[in-house]
Amino acid sequence: MPASALMNVMVGAARKAGRSLARDFGEVEQLQVSLKGPANFVTAADRRAEEILYEELSRARPGYSFLGEEGGRRTGTDTTHTWIVDPLDGTMNFLHGIPHFAISLALEREGAIVAGVIYNPATDDLFTAEKGKGSFLNDHRLRVAARSRLADAVVACGLPHPSRGDAVLERKDTAAVQDRVAGLRRFGAAALDLA
């Protein structure tokens, strides 16, 4: 299925920002890091990628609003459309040289998400989805597994940093679900060896 004009805009913006992140990832030791919060770092690469996304998306759709993780909300003249962006999802992995991070980009139209792109420039994996058109990994259509029982499912979850205050709750939730599923994969910089 040929990509829509909207998807072409989103993919083009993600790939351009991805080139910047890939260059910085190659020189991760030299990155200037500033503290954003406990164990939650923002890099110059993160801010640069968000600005590239803002510029590219604004050029293609000038009036749309923009909500970025780093820069916050920028209200446009068209308040029915908002780009929602995390320019570097997986900052901790990025900072530690682990190639599991991505640009996350969505378009919200009148309160509903209608399209999304997840792009990992380290692996060149591109996930796309558009309402009514399906989901894809690169050019391969994705399908939901036919499993209907939780006991047959593999569940993946993020692992919060203990300083965020929700680690105790996360451990309780994990223990509650662990014996009810076929497998549990925990993701996060501190848990990569648990997967």
Side-chain angles (χ1 to χ4, degrees):
M1 171 183 284
S4 68
L6 172 64
M7 194 53 63
N8 285 334
V9 165
M10 295 174 74
V11 168
R15 287 194 183 279
K16 185 167 184 179
R19 287 191 294 275
S20 176
L21 284 179
R23 277 190 304 273
D24 289 334
F25 185 66
E27 300 177 16
V28 74
E29 300 83 25
Q30 279 81 44
L31 287 177
Q32 295 179 359
V33 180
S34 62
L35 189 61
K36 176 179 173 183
N40 189 5
F41 296 97
V42 176
T43 65
D46 199 352
R47 291 188 294 273
R48 222 176 357 264
E50 182 169 307
E51 202 51 39
I52 291 168
L53 290 164
Y54 176 75
E55 290 169 7
E56 291 298 305
L57 296 169
S58 295
R59 184 177 3 267
R61 301 291 190 272
Y64 288 15
S65 296
F66 185 92
L67 178 61
E69 184 185 39
E70 303 308 320
R73 179 173 287 281
R74 303 179 201 190
T75 304
T77 56
D78 178 352
T79 57
T80 64
H81 290 88
T82 302
W83 298 113
I84 303 171
V85 172
D86 185 346
L88 180 51
D89 196 357
T91 306
M92 196 62 70
N93 284 347
F94 184 88
L95 289 172
H96 287 87
I98 301 167
H100 298 289
F101 60 89
I103 293 167
S104 298
L105 167 61
L107 178 63
E108 178 187 65
R109 179 182 295 139
E110 297 179 348
I113 302 298
V114 295
V117 167
I118 306 292
Y119 178 58
N120 181 341
T123 61
D124 201 33
D125 284 331
L126 177 71
F127 292 85
T128 59
E130 193 169 0
K131 189 173 184 175
K133 296 183 180 179
S135 301
F136 297 84
L137 167 55
N138 299 321
D139 292 324
H140 303 285
R141 188 172 188 81
L142 297 174
R143 305 227 185 260
V144 176
R147 293 174 184 84
S148 59
R149 294 179 344 123
L150 186 61
D152 297 330
V154 174
V155 177
C157 61
L159 188 63
H161 191 275
S163 65
R164 288 187 39 197
D166 51 3
V168 171
L169 178 61
E170 185 276 331
R171 282 193 287 276
K172 182 179 171 187
D173 289 346
T174 299
V177 76
Q178 196 162 10
D179 292 334
R180 297 182 182 157
V181 297
L184 181 64
R185 299 292 181 249
R186 301 172 90 181
F187 298 98
L192 286 174
D193 60 319
L194 300 176

